[in-house]
Amino acid sequence: MSKKVQIVEVGPRDGFQSVKEFIPTETKKKVIDLLVASGCRKIQATSFVNPKAIPQMADAAEVAEYVLKTYPNVSFYALTPNARGVENACDAGFREVSYVISVSPGHNMANVRRTIDESFEGLAAIRQSLPDMKIVLDAATTFGCPFDGKVSIGQVVAYLEKARAIGITIVDLCDTIGIANPRQVRAVLETVCEKFPEIDFGVHIHDTRNMGMANSLAAIECGVTRVSTTVGGMGGCPFAPGASGNTSTEDLVFMLQEMGYDTGIDFAKLLETARFLKENVPANYSGHQMNIAPSQCVMG
């Protein structure tokens, strides 16, 4: 079990996308400033999607220009749902993107209006046209789907075989609706890590049913060293009914550092970031640390 865990902060994308009222671009930049100051070194800064589908991401190019010029030593990347999104991210200066394909057919159709095979065909074409672009495959609904119900380990394996066939080597297993449990997380990871040793697996666990921390820890205890979270625990998938909230970055950092893990993040500064966010952005928050008196938020 590794003692070092990389926290991937996805709040500026997954957290913000669920907020209906447009967040001023300067506020988004300020939140990213605070995240960087707290020690976050891997941040999903925005998403290149159709603004008609998610108006909150209409300023993606402006956010990209700011973060890439201001913080050259921080690893920023963007979410992209299709070839146009990848091209726009590339034009904006990103050299790493996350590309979403769902494990369940129903969610993939609701999310991008494509079958899973069509999505993989599109991803293969992108890899050919942009061979230098680093692609993290977000395997949405790995643990369950709001449309299709339970997702079997066999479905996950078949999905990853498609990914391997086109040369994907980085995959984030996503609990899009927060339906997973620790036993399931362990079973999935034990299987896929054995069958696909060449793939670097991370997890992105939602906290809809208050199991985000337990499921994230289960993944870490299976050897995962990359975990995606959102500051304040904000967020949720717009195309997954009932999905609300992500695992809170500050809650997970507090727990891991208390357990002796190295996250590289200054908890006190991260907590300040969460509180700034809650004061300035009206959203759904699932984080607990921001509600505790400052005198009680002391690392052991």
Side-chain angles (χ1 to χ4, degrees):
M1 184 172 63
S2 172
K3 281 291 183 179
K4 187 173 181 62
V5 175
Q6 181 184 44
I7 301 297
V8 181
E9 174 57 55
V10 298
R13 192 280 303 177
D14 197 5
F16 289 169
Q17 74 175 10
S18 65
V19 180
K20 293 183 178 180
E21 181 180 341
F22 187 78
I23 304 167
T25 305
E26 292 306 311
T27 300
K28 294 177 181 177
K29 293 177 183 177
K30 176 63 175 178
V31 171
I32 293 174
D33 289 340
L34 292 171
L35 288 169
V36 172
S38 73
C40 294
R41 289 297 177 266
K42 183 79 173 182
I43 301 174
Q44 191 176 65
T46 188
S47 176
F48 286 86
V49 296
N50 189 329
K52 293 181 180 179
I54 304 181
Q56 190 63 253
M57 298 291 115
D59 58 359
E62 182 177 350
V63 170
E65 181 180 15
Y66 174 75
V67 301
L68 294 174
K69 287 184 177 180
T70 308
Y71 302 109
N73 296 323
V74 175
S75 178
F76 289 101
Y77 71 118
L79 180 137
T80 54
N82 50 39
R84 174 64 64 85
V86 177
E87 291 170 1
N88 290 341
C90 185
D91 291 342
F94 285 106
R95 294 299 174 262
E96 177 179 351
V97 297
S98 58
Y99 191 89
V100 184
I101 301 178
S102 306
V103 177
S104 59
H107 186 264
N108 204 65
M109 186 60 67
N111 195 24
V112 295
R113 305 298 182 194
R114 285 183 170 188
T115 67
I116 294 173
D117 284 341
E118 288 171 340
S119 286
F120 272 109
E121 289 169 4
L123 181 54
I126 290 168
R127 283 183 53 77
Q128 287 186 335
S129 62
L130 294 169
D132 295 329
M133 178 67 78
K134 182 178 179 181
I135 297 175
V136 179
L137 177 59
D138 278 4
T141 64
T142 292
F143 303 96
C145 173
F147 306 107
D148 301 340
K150 291 187 177 181
V151 173
S152 70
I153 293 179
Q155 284 177 273
V156 178
V157 169
Y159 173 100
L160 292 172
E161 287 173 345
K162 296 178 189 294
R164 178 167 61 183
I166 62 173
I168 295 297
T169 59
I170 309 173
V171 176
D172 280 347
L173 303 175
C174 305
D175 185 16
T176 308
I177 59 172
I179 195 69
N181 63 75
R183 181 178 180 181
Q184 180 187 17
V185 170
R186 292 189 186 98
V188 169
L189 278 164
E190 287 170 1
T191 298
V192 302
C193 288
E194 179 181 355
K195 289 183 175 293
F196 305 95
E198 71 278 21
I199 294 179
D200 174 15
F201 289 106
V203 293
H204 179 171
I205 307 291
H206 283 231
D207 196 41
T208 311
R209 293 165 178 81
N210 197 33
M211 290 192 284
M213 294 275 282
N215 289 330
S216 295
L217 182 60
I220 291 168
E221 290 177 341
C222 285
V224 167
T225 59
R226 188 179 69 257
V227 180
S228 297
T229 56
T230 68
V231 62
M234 67 186 308
C237 177
F239 305 105
S244 60
N246 284 271
T247 303
S248 160
T249 306
E250 64 274 14
D251 288 355
L252 187 66
V253 166
F254 181 89
M255 180 184 72
L256 291 179
Q257 293 184 181
E258 286 289 287
M259 293 175 68
Y261 288 89
D262 175 15
T263 66
I265 293 176
D266 184 316
F267 171 75
K269 290 183 179 180
L270 181 64
L271 189 56
E272 290 175 9
T273 305
R275 288 176 172 155
F276 170 86
L277 189 61
K278 190 172 184 179
E279 290 172 1
N280 289 276
V281 178
N284 170 57
Y285 295 95
S286 65
H288 297 279
Q289 294 291 337
M290 68 172 71
N291 299 316
I292 298 174
S295 60
Q296 295 179 307
C297 294
V298 180
M299 303 296 288

